[in-house]
């Protein structure tokens, strides 16, 4: 399973998104607001989930702002920093 | 999936805009600088009396709380309570300015358990100070300098808010870092960054900023109010303990900062109202207890209560 696929599965399962399946999440759709519709509390949860599942920390606002744009950017962020 | 509420739905019931003009504020700052506390308080009493007797629209904003707290419909008693709360609010604002204009030593600030706060900070998960619009929270913030740990504060300043923060009178650097809840992602990433570094984050727990979705409906002074649970979500995600911290005016030139309660929130809670309800209840109970002890130092001048006939 690729990082993107893992991410989508984790987001749907752990954030209890009931109206969408992992396959339906588009890679470049915005995660927050009009896209996937996540909110700031989901952002808190995603930060925790990244540490738990990938061992990757979001250490600052600037890093988070860049990574949280879409599944594509989040996956790229993880792949760059994931412990080998 | 839910939709983000519209801006209209997000609009808060409260405002932090100042009632007086910039000129009127400057009169008080002048008196504090050259006359001191006594002269400023004397003028304050006249101003409070004027607003009590001749500004019914503003008085109505105080009535929402006062009627529930004192359970009186007697118009004269209501006027008296309104006058008292205006005076105490004014004293808090004067004292806040005095810390900046005359120096921190002009006001004595004591604490019931600063050592306990030190211990919590040394646990290394950061500490969330959950406070409210009571007493003089800026006096409490000034006292926190002695912790030698960076303090961040979740604060949005409206354009019409003319009251200067105490440090703005002196021109010194801000004693705390301000995180704007209207910033990216409601400021949560910045808040998590603060806690991950083991620092102190201060959040007001008595006003809703944004939609009702991140709130829990709890009992407060005989009715239901919606209070935010985001602080508890942050605590659950980071392991940071929550300290309910209030301040009150304990004498003419003194305040006491009270660490009323420590709340430990289990990890991995979700984001539903039900999960955070017990913790918001603890906050509401502590706040209600505060209003019993210091009825005129509770400064929320808007209708906090659900289903109370607000148009």
């Amino acid at each position: 399973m690729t990082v993107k696929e893992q991410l989508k599965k984790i987001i749907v399962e752990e954030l209890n998104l009931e109206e969408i399946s992992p396959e339906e999440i588009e890679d470049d759709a915005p995660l927050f607001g009009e896209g996937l519709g996540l909110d700031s509390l989901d952002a808190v949860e995603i930060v925790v989930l990244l540490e738990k599942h990938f061992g990757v920390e979001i250490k600052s606002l600037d890093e988070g702002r860049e990574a949280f744009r879409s599944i594509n950017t989040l996956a790229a962020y993880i792949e760059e920093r994931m412990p080998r | 999936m839910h939709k983000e509420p519209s801006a209209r739905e997000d609009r808060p019931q409260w405002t932090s805009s100042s009632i007086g003009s910039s000129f009127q504020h400057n009169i008080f700052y002048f008196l504090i600088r050259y006359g001191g506390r006594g002269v400023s308080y004397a003028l304050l009493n006249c101003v409070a009396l004027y607003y009590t007797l001749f500004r019914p629209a503003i008085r109505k904003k105080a009535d929402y709380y006062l009627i529930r707290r004192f359970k009186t419909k007697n118009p004269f008693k209501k006027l008296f309570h309104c006058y008292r709360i205006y005076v105490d609010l004014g004293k808090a604002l004067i004292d806040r300015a005095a810390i900046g204009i005359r120096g921190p030593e002009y006001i004595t600030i004591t604490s019931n358990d600063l050592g306990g706060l030190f211990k919590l900070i040394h646990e290394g998960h950061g500490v969330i100070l959950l406070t409210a619009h009571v007493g003089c929270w800026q006096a409490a913030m000034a006292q926190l300098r002695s912790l030698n740990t960076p303090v961040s504060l979740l604060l949005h300043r409206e354009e019409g808010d003319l009251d200067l923060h105490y440090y703005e009178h002196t021109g010194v650097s801000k004693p705390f870092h301000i995180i704007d809840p209207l910033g990216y992602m409601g400021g949560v990433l910045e808040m998590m960054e603060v806690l991950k570094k083991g620092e102190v984050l201060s959040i007001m727990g008595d006003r809703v900023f944004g939609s009702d979705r991140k709130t829990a409906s709890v009992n407060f002074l005989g009715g239901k109010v919606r209070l935010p649970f985001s602080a508890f979500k942050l605590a659950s995600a980071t392991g940071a303990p929550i300290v309910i911290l209030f301040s009150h005016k304990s004498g003419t030139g003194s305040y006491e900062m009270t660490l009323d309660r420590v709340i430990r929130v289990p990890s991995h809670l979700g984001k539903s109202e039900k999960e955070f309800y017990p913790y918001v209840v603890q906050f509401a109970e502590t706040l209600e207890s505060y209003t019993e002890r210091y009825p005129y130092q509770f400064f929320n001048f808007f209708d906090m209560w659900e289903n109370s006939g607000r148009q």
Side-chain angles (χ1 to χ4, degrees):
Chain A
M1 198 183 277
T2 66
V3 169
K4 280 185 201 173
E5 288 167 341
Q6 284 182 68
L7 254 182
K8 291 176 185 178
K9 186 168 180 285
I10 289 165
I11 286 174
V12 169
E13 287 177 1
E14 304 253 10
L15 301 183
N16 296 317
L17 304 185
E18 292 170 353
E19 295 172 21
I20 194 166
S21 67
E23 296 74 29
E24 289 174 298
I25 299 177
E26 293 174 23
D27 290 351
D28 57 355
L31 292 176
F32 298 91
E34 289 302 311
L36 199 52
L38 303 182
D39 63 19
S40 57
L41 292 188
D42 294 314
V44 172
E45 199 60 39
I46 290 174
V47 171
V48 175
L49 293 173
L50 293 187
E51 289 182 29
K52 179 178 156 191
H53 292 278
F54 302 103
V56 170
E57 266 190 276
I58 289 185
K59 290 179 179 162
S60 70
L61 171 66
D62 291 337
E63 284 186 0
R65 196 194 295 268
E66 180 60 30
F68 279 169
R69 279 169 30 204
S70 66
I71 290 289
N72 272 339
T73 56
L74 198 51
Y77 184 87
I78 293 167
E79 283 166 347
E80 263 178 40
R81 292 163 176 80
M82 201 160 57
R84 302 289 172 194
Chain B
M1 278 181 291
H2 53 252
K3 277 185 174 179
E4 287 292 325
S6 67
R8 185 177 172 80
E9 287 168 324
D10 271 359
R11 193 175 56 198
Q13 295 295 329
W14 52 269
T15 174
S16 62
S17 294
S18 304
I19 294 171
S21 67
S22 180
F23 173 70
Q24 289 165 329
H25 281 78
N26 284 329
I27 291 175
F28 274 102
Y29 297 151
F30 178 86
L31 287 180
I32 293 164
R33 187 178 299 277
Y34 298 106
R37 185 184 298 116
V39 181
S40 307
Y41 283 3
L43 177 61
L44 165 68
N45 282 297
C46 302
V47 172
L49 193 61
Y50 165 76
Y51 275 98
T52 303
L53 296 177
F54 303 114
R55 299 294 292 271
I58 293 172
R59 196 172 66 229
K60 190 183 174 205
K61 293 180 179 179
D63 279 349
Y64 295 120
Y65 160 71
L66 293 173
I67 288 170
R68 287 187 180 270
R69 170 60 184 83
F70 292 100
K71 298 177 178 63
T72 180
K73 290 185 179 174
N74 181 315
F76 296 105
K77 283 185 179 174
K78 278 168 65 180
L79 283 176
F80 171 75
H81 294 313
C82 189
Y83 171 73
R84 284 291 313 273
I85 204 166
Y86 283 170
V87 167
D88 277 22
L89 172 65
K91 285 180 177 175
L93 295 175
I94 287 170
D95 292 341
R96 180 175 98 173
I99 294 171
I101 293 169
R102 306 286 294 244
E105 63 283 351
Y106 196 65
I107 304 286
T108 306
I109 305 162
T110 56
S111 167
N112 69 332
D113 192 13
L114 211 51
L117 189 53
F118 266 119
K119 281 183 189 168
L120 292 170
I121 290 170
H122 283 119
E123 288 180 10
H125 301 290
V127 170
I128 298 173
L129 299 179
L130 196 56
T131 180
H133 294 82
V134 298
C136 185
W137 63 266
Q138 291 221 1
M141 290 293 113
Q143 172 76 349
L144 292 179
R145 293 189 101 148
S146 62
L147 292 174
N148 292 321
T149 301
V151 176
S152 295
L153 179 68
L154 189 67
L155 177 74
H156 176 69
R157 197 163 189 188
E158 288 184 42
E159 278 186 19
D161 187 355
L162 300 172
D163 291 316
L164 297 177
H165 294 298
Y166 75 87
Y167 55 85
E168 291 172 319
H169 292 282
T170 55
V172 298
S173 61
K174 282 197 287 278
F176 39 74
H177 170 64
I178 291 176
I179 299 173
D180 189 342
L182 285 187
Y184 179 69
M185 215 66 82
V188 294
L189 293 181
E190 282 179 273
M191 290 190 263
M192 288 193 82
E193 191 182 336
V194 164
L195 296 172
K196 279 183 177 179
K197 287 192 282 189
E199 297 174 358
V200 175
L201 173 66
S202 179
I203 298 176
M204 295 286 187
D206 58 340
R207 291 186 190 174
V208 177
F209 204 99
S211 75
D212 277 355
R213 281 188 297 110
K214 297 158 196 165
T215 63
S217 178
V218 295
N219 290 321
F220 181 64
L221 290 172
K224 290 280 186 186
V225 296
R226 286 210 157 265
L227 297 177
F229 63 67
S230 301
F232 301 101
K233 173 65 187 177
L234 279 169
S236 174
T238 60
I242 285 189
V243 177
I244 299 180
L245 179 144
F246 296 145
S247 68
H248 66 271
K249 192 170 174 66
S250 51
T252 306
S254 62
Y255 283 84
E256 184 175 12
M257 185 175 87
T258 311
L259 278 65
D260 277 286
R261 200 169 201 167
V262 178
I263 301 176
R264 304 273 184 177
V265 184
S267 58
H268 308 306
L269 292 185
K271 61 169 194 172
S272 70
E273 175 178 344
K274 189 179 165 190
E275 287 168 287
F276 294 102
Y277 174 80
Y279 310 103
V280 182
V281 166
Q282 289 184 50
F283 176 75
E285 286 173 352
T286 312
L287 190 57
E288 184 162 329
S289 168
Y290 179 96
T291 65
E292 285 162 9
R293 284 172 287 148
Y294 313 108
Y296 301 112
Q297 295 192 49
F298 178 84
F299 305 131
N300 277 314
F301 298 101
F302 65 99
D303 188 2
M304 298 174 73
W305 288 268
E306 296 181 288
N307 306 317
S308 58
R310 186 173 55 227
Q311 296 300 309

